[in-house]
Amino acid sequence: MTELLIERHGPVAVLVLNRPQAMNALSQSLIRSLTAAVAALGRDETARVLVLTGAGEHAFSAGLDLKELGASSGLLGMVEGGGERPNPIRAIEQCPKPVIAAVNGVAITGGFELALACDILIAAETARFADTHQRVGVIPGWGLSQKLARIIGPSRAKEMAFSGRFVTAPEASAWGLVSRTVPPGDLMAEVLALAGEIAEVDAGFLADYKRLMNEGYDLPFGEAMALEAEWSRRHNSALAPNDLAARREGVQSKGRSR
């Protein structure tokens, strides 16, 4: 069985973690395939938006394949924390294209970290999220201990980190962890519609905007505001008035058609 499926919907590339019999757990071969695929699609000019999801209805990803890792001495730290190994989290974060997570089921530990690496999270109403690092006694190496508190606040992040309890999709939406929830049967249609809308935007602009938001997020607020001002001056000063007028008309025309 091919562990990673890649489907194309025009300018949208859908990557499907295809190990449903193992809750789409991340084997070493799947990690390598996913990392390479994201990097390649990031360079592919025909792919404007990436979508990441899991096969089946029950799991986005259950995280690292603990059965495989248990048979490999010392492998766990090398997979999550080591720079020597393929790192799908870094590949997604560094991808110049927007990446949408279509969370179709449980996203647990490493699978949770994989979802958090994406730019936008849309979840099925049946999806659930959990950090179970404490159950296996492993410190996160893909960013969960730092990202989660910045997204949902330290109290909620520590509740998840210390207890391992599952958070439902409605809770995740209320906490700002996901953009929105949709009925399971509508998930891919909703995500593909959003991806298609994003794909209409100039690819270079999207790459710059994603980079600006990501770099600013890592800075103190004042420095982030200064970064935006610098980028704004540099970019906007190069815009020709005629081009701006044409784009404004395009926006207005699109708004009237809705």
Side-chain angles (χ1 to χ4, degrees):
M1 177 185 291
T2 303
E3 293 188 333
L4 180 68
L5 303 177
I6 301 177
E7 306 168 356
R8 293 298 294 264
H9 300 260
V12 180
V14 179
L15 296 89
V16 183
L17 307 176
N18 190 38
R19 302 186 72 212
Q21 77 287 352
M23 302 284 282
N24 299 320
L26 302 171
S27 65
Q28 290 303 290
S29 58
L30 179 53
I31 287 172
R32 287 193 295 270
S33 297
L34 179 59
T35 303
V38 171
L41 288 166
R43 297 187 296 268
D44 184 347
E45 294 183 359
T46 68
R48 305 290 290 273
V49 182
L50 278 57
V51 173
L52 180 61
T53 192
E57 301 177 354
H58 303 296
F60 175 78
S61 174
L64 296 177
D65 188 331
L66 296 181
K67 182 177 180 180
E68 181 185 64
L69 291 173
S72 304
S73 176
L75 187 59
L76 187 59
M78 293 163 63
V79 170
E80 284 204 330
E84 308 86 1
R85 297 274 171 168
N87 188 325
I89 306 299
R90 187 176 299 116
I92 291 171
E93 292 173 342
Q94 293 179 349
C95 180
K97 318 291 178 63
V99 183
I100 305 173
V103 186
N104 55 304
V106 294
I108 305 171
T109 311
F112 190 10
E113 290 176 297
L114 192 62
L116 289 181
C118 297
D119 300 299
I120 302 169
L121 280 69
I122 310 293
E125 293 170 346
T126 51
R128 295 186 298 157
F129 302 84
D131 174 7
T132 61
H133 281 96
Q134 74 294 129
R135 300 299 179 186
V136 291
V138 172
I139 295 294
W142 278 350
L144 190 58
S145 68
Q146 303 304 308
K147 290 180 181 178
L148 193 57
R150 288 166 167 78
I151 296 169
I152 63 175
S155 179
R156 287 167 173 163
K158 289 175 182 177
E159 178 183 347
M160 294 186 71
F162 298 165
S163 71
R165 85 167 181 89
F166 281 79
V167 170
T168 66
E171 282 182 294
S173 181
W175 290 0
L177 183 58
V178 302
S179 294
R180 62 178 183 271
T181 63
V182 299
D186 297 338
L187 178 63
M188 287 310 298
E190 291 269 355
V191 169
L192 289 174
L194 174 62
E197 192 169 352
I198 293 172
E200 296 175 0
V201 180
D202 178 78
F205 180 87
L206 283 176
D208 285 346
Y209 211 168
K210 174 175 175 174
R211 183 181 164 199
L212 171 60
M213 294 184 76
N214 286 348
E215 290 186 5
Y217 191 77
D218 292 335
L219 297 173
F221 184 73
E223 293 180 26
M225 291 294 288
L227 179 69
E228 181 193 79
E230 175 190 344
W231 279 49
S232 178
R233 283 193 299 270
R234 185 170 67 245
H235 175 86
N236 295 343
S237 63
L239 293 176
N242 290 341
D243 291 340
L244 192 59
R247 292 173 185 174
R248 184 173 62 248
E249 174 57 32
V251 171
Q252 292 172 342
S253 176
K254 189 177 182 66
R256 286 193 294 269
S257 68
R258 292 183 175 178

